[in-house]
């Protein structure tokens, strides 16, 4: 399945520079108050960024709407390589937000430009904020980081700086291209399903009726299970969907087995079967395939890395050309198979396949396996990213609580037993008690 590269944007400097300028003009007492207010402002920013991360934003940066300013320098990280966004746009550090809007607006279709420029008009945004509309978003077609078509949903969340009174904002972009293409794919499958249903009506008078009906039901079932992937929020929820999905793929392709392999080591030298479905009367192989070294399937791994789909019509025909794979498959009573690589972020993360399928419909089976594998790879990668972001945000929140505790005047009395390594908090500030548990 086609998938856009993820674009991450970062800002070198923050609005701390504005705070420092203002603090020079304040008294010592006001400076102490400023530190407290700055901390509260940063807490609010963390909450806003948490909202953006929770939405799996593809890009974000901060804005000072009052001053028409995007603080610092902006960068794009594409495939682990950093690019200066300011250089790309021909803009200096601390660029005007209106110049940034103008640059990206010129990349849009002319018919979409008026709505884009109106949405990001600073007077309109400030008016919205003062009327209580602090979170707005706009959908539009633009170009991705690799200049491919991208359906973007850009959000802007506004709030007021308690120190300067400026109206600040965080803007983040969600890449909806994958969702859009999945909807297209669903419509295509629905069209195919309609054709299959039409064929079913014509085949009711022949012996193929039950076969075609089963195929229609299987395609519909696979479609529903692929859609369910978008609702999972953890690996456990994803794993609960896998048995049913593999069963549907196995039934549709009339296979003996349907399965998924992933890397078993960080060095990508060992593969293992993580999921397996078997038809009635077929012996499972999952327990025997938990540590398959690359040396046992060197030809396949090389072909997968070249994004090739492997279709074997007769295993005996591969005895000389792929001897290592032949020996591995022969013991499993495999005569034919289809195997498709699973990719995420341009890396091969495993493969999905079926044993002894009905190869008369191998083109549709390959399409289904490719789409399931591609979507599965993306979902797993997104879940990993979500876990990492949640961990980072939890650590940031913990640090904020500790700073708040240090900044609070309190008296704490602890009774400690050094020998038994225990203590009892006799008196302390509520926030200290919360941190110490």
């Amino acid at each position: 399945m086609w998938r856009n590269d993820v674009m991450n944007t970062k800002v070198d400097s923050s609005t701390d520079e504005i705070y420092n300028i203002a603090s020079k003009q304040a008294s010592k007492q006001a400076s102490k108050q400023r530190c407290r207010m700055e901390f509260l402002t940063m807490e609010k920013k963390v909450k806003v960024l948490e909202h953006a991360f929770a939405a799996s934003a593809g890009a974000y940066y901060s804005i000072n709407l009052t001053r028409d300013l995007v603080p610092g320098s902006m960068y794009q990280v594409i495939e682990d390589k950093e690019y200066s966004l300011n250089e790309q746009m021909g803009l200096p550090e601390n660029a005007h937000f209106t110049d940034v809007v103008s640059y990206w607006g010129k990349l849009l279709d002319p018919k979409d430009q008026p709505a884009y420029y109106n949405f990001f008009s600073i007077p309109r945004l400030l008016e919205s904020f003062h009327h209580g509309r602090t979170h707005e978003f706009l959908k539009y077609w633009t170009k991705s980081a690799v200049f491919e078509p991208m359906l973007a949903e850009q959000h802007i969340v506004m709030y007021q700086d308690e120190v300067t009174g400026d109206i600040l904002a965080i803007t983040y972009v969600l890449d909806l291209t994958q969702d859009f293409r999945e909807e297209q794919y669903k419509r295509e499958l629905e069209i195919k399903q309609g054709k299959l249903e039409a064929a079913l009506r014509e085949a009711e008078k022949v012996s193929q009726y039950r076969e075609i009906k089963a195929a229609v039901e299987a395609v519909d079932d696979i479609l529903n299970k692929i859609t369910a992937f978008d609702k999972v929020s953890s690996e456990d929820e994803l794993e609960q969907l896998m048995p049913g999905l593999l069963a549907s793929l196995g039934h549709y392709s009339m296979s003996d087995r349907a399965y998924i392999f992933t890397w078993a080591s960080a060095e990508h030298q060992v593969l293992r079967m993580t999921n397996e479905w078997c038809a009635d009367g077929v012996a499972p192989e999952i327990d025997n395939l938990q540590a398959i070294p690359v040396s046992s399937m060197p030809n396949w791994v090389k072909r997968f890395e070249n994004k090739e789909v492997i279709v074997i019509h007769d295993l005996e025909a591969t005895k000389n050309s792929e001897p290592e794979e032949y020996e591995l498959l022969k013991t499993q009573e495999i005569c034919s198979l289809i195997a498709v690589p699973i990719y995420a972020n341009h890396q091969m993360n495993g493969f999905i396949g079926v044993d002894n399928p009905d190869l008369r419909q191998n083109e549709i089976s390959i399409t289904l396996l490719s789409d399931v594998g591609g979507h599965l790879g993306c979902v797993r990668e997104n879940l990993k990213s979500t876990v990492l972001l949640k961990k980072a945000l939890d650590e940031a929140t913990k640090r904020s609580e500790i700073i708040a505790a240090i900044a609070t005047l309190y008296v704490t009395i602890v009774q400690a037993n050094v020998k038994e390594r225990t203590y009892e908090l006799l008196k302390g500030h509520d926030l200290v008690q919360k941190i110490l548990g």
Side-chain angles (χ1 to χ4, degrees), residues 301-318:
V301 171
K302 184 176 180 180
R303 293 175 66 181
F304 284 149
E305 289 175 346
N306 291 329
K307 299 184 178 181
E308 291 185 34
V309 174
I310 296 174
V311 180
I312 297 178
H313 291 81
D314 179 9
L315 181 63
E316 292 300 319
T318 68

Side-chain angles (χ1 to χ4, degrees), residues 61 63 65 68 70 96-105 108 112-126 128 136-140 142 152-158 169-173:
Y61 57 90
I63 310 164
L65 292 172
D68 185 18
V70 177
H96 291 298
F97 175 60
T98 49
D99 292 338
V100 175
V101 171
S102 176
Y103 175 85
W104 291 112
L108 304 185
D112 296 330
Q113 290 177 347
Y116 180 85
Y117 289 131
N118 177 68
F119 178 83
F120 288 106
S121 165
I122 290 180
R124 192 201 69 79
L125 290 172
L126 293 175
S128 292
E136 297 184 339
F137 68 91
L138 176 69
K139 289 183 181 180
Y140 56 92
T142 182
E153 183 180 274
Q154 185 164 357
H155 291 243
I156 185 164
V157 183
M158 299 172 283
I170 298 291
T171 182
Y172 59 92
V173 180

